[in-house]
């Protein structure tokens, strides 16, 4: 069973310029994803897909492979993650390397750890699923959502007005950390979030979407809390 970790880190971040290599508690945020993948010991290859020379240099410093640079076609604002992954798999095939399992790790996902990657890989490979996605539960039931119409609030789903929160079906969303897929199924589907998918639930304390500097500061607080909690348990 050959496994590939792909960390997608282009240089053209718009909302937070140079986001993928900004210091996160003292080191480039990209380094956390690389370290987690390498220290898990689960991958035959840990590579960073980028078109940016500075990102490539930093990635190599932390032990990642850069066997080829990302193309212009997959470096623009309109290329999706699946496009990048398909290109990487195609380029590896050209040099005689093929894989059974692939893990796409985001470069701004410091909450991904070697333990999580090990557990997730075992979960997927022991199942008949095609994909595993880390998810987090919505903290407030979406069934109780309010919308604003003509400057007045109303329930989006009035049938749940009198329902108790604990009686409502839990809803989840993508944690935005990594995607684990069986390569043959991914090449066939050409999409990450289709087919037979199993969840890998995460704590809200270890999930943070980072779209602006306020998000960044919150992520640092959560990450430090995660580290402190683990030290207390040791």
């Amino acid at each position: 069973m050959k496994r590939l970790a792909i960390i997608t880190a282009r240089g053209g971040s718009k909302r937070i310029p140079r986001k993928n290599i900004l210091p996160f508690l003292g080191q480039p945020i990209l380094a956390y994803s690389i370290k987690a993948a390498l220290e898990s010991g689960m991958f035959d290859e840990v590579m960073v897909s980028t078109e940016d020379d500075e990102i490539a240099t930093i990635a190599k410093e932390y032990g990642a492979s850069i066997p080829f640079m990302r193309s212009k076609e997959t470096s623009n604002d309109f290329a999706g993650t699946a496009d990048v992954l398909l290109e990487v798999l195609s380029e590896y095939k050209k040099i005689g390397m093929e894989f059974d399992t692939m893990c796409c790790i985001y470069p701004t996902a410091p909450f991904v750890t070697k333990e999580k990657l090990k557990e997730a890989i075992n979960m997927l490979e022991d199942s008949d699923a095609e994909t595993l996605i880390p998810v987090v539960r919505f903290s407030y039931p979406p069934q109780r959502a309010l919308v604003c119409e003509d400057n007045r609030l109303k329930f989006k789903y009035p049938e749940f007005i009198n329902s108790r929160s604990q009686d409502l079906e839990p809803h989840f969303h993508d944690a935005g950390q990594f995607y684990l897929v069986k390569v043959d199924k991914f090449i066939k589907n050409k999409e990450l979030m289709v087919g037979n998918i199993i969840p890998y639930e995460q704590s809200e304390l270890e999930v943070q979407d980072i779209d602006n500097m306020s998000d960044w500061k919150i992520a640092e607080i959560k990450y430090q809390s995660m580290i402190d909690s683990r030290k207390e348990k040791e």
Side-chain angles (χ1 to χ4, degrees), residues 10 14 70 72-84:
R10 75 186 184 103
K14 297 294 191 296
R70 190 185 298 191
K72 290 183 179 179
E73 290 74 21
T74 58
S75 300
N76 60 48
D77 294 337
F78 303 102
T81 300
D83 298 319
V84 175

Side-chain angles (χ1 to χ4, degrees), residues 98-150:
E98 297 187 66
F99 302 89
D100 302 294
T101 304
M102 172 182 68
C103 187
C104 169
I105 308 174
Y106 283 143
T108 52
F111 298 100
V112 176
T113 64
K114 61 182 180 181
E115 293 84 5
K116 290 180 182 180
L117 291 173
K118 287 180 181 179
E119 185 176 19
I121 288 170
N122 289 331
M123 284 176 62
L124 179 66
E125 293 183 351
D126 289 342
S127 76
D128 62 352
E130 301 169 9
T131 304
L132 176 146
I133 297 178
V135 296
V136 62
R137 191 176 300 223
F138 279 99
S139 58
Y140 189 82
Q143 299 96 322
R144 302 295 301 278
L146 296 165
V147 293
C148 190
E149 294 182 5
D150 299 323

Side-chain angles (χ1 to χ4, degrees), residues 48-208:
V48 170
S49 171
T50 187
E51 85 297 356
D52 187 278
D53 289 336
E54 184 181 12
I55 291 176
T57 297
I58 291 173
K60 289 177 183 177
E61 289 174 358
Y62 283 91
S65 173
I66 311 281
F68 39 79
M69 299 295 281
R70 190 185 298 191
S71 69
K72 290 183 179 179
E73 290 74 21
T74 58
S75 300
N76 60 48
D77 294 337
F78 303 102
T81 300
D83 298 319
V84 175
L85 301 179
L86 287 167
E87 178 182 74
V88 169
L89 291 171
S90 175
E91 290 299 314
Y92 268 113
K93 189 172 183 179
K94 290 177 183 177
I95 58 176
M97 296 178 68
E98 297 187 66
F99 302 89
D100 302 294
T101 304
M102 172 182 68
C103 187
C104 169
I105 308 174
Y106 283 143
T108 52
F111 298 100
V112 176
T113 64
K114 61 182 180 181
E115 293 84 5
K116 290 180 182 180
L117 291 173
K118 287 180 181 179
E119 185 176 19
I121 288 170
N122 289 331
M123 284 176 62
L124 179 66
E125 293 183 351
D126 289 342
S127 76
D128 62 352
E130 301 169 9
T131 304
L132 176 146
I133 297 178
V135 296
V136 62
R137 191 176 300 223
F138 279 99
S139 58
Y140 189 82
Q143 299 96 322
R144 302 295 301 278
L146 296 165
V147 293
C148 190
E149 294 182 5
D150 299 323
N151 203 32
R152 295 293 184 270
L153 286 174
K154 61 180 292 187
F155 278 93
K156 178 68 175 176
Y157 308 104
E159 64 269 30
F160 297 115
I161 287 177
N162 295 316
S163 299
R164 299 187 309 167
S165 296
Q166 61 265 40
D167 294 333
L168 297 173
E169 180 184 15
H171 282 50
F172 302 84
H173 64 85
D174 181 358
Q177 296 181 347
F178 65 90
Y179 302 99
L180 190 61
V181 300
K182 293 177 179 175
V183 172
D184 59 339
K185 301 297 185 182
F186 172 68
I187 291 175
K188 178 182 177 181
N189 295 331
K190 294 182 170 53
E191 293 288 346
L192 286 167
M193 301 185 75
V194 297
N196 187 350
I197 305 171
I198 56 174
Y200 182 45
E201 188 172 356
Q202 302 294 295
S203 164
E204 191 175 5
L205 295 174
E206 297 183 10
V207 173
Q208 181 62 45

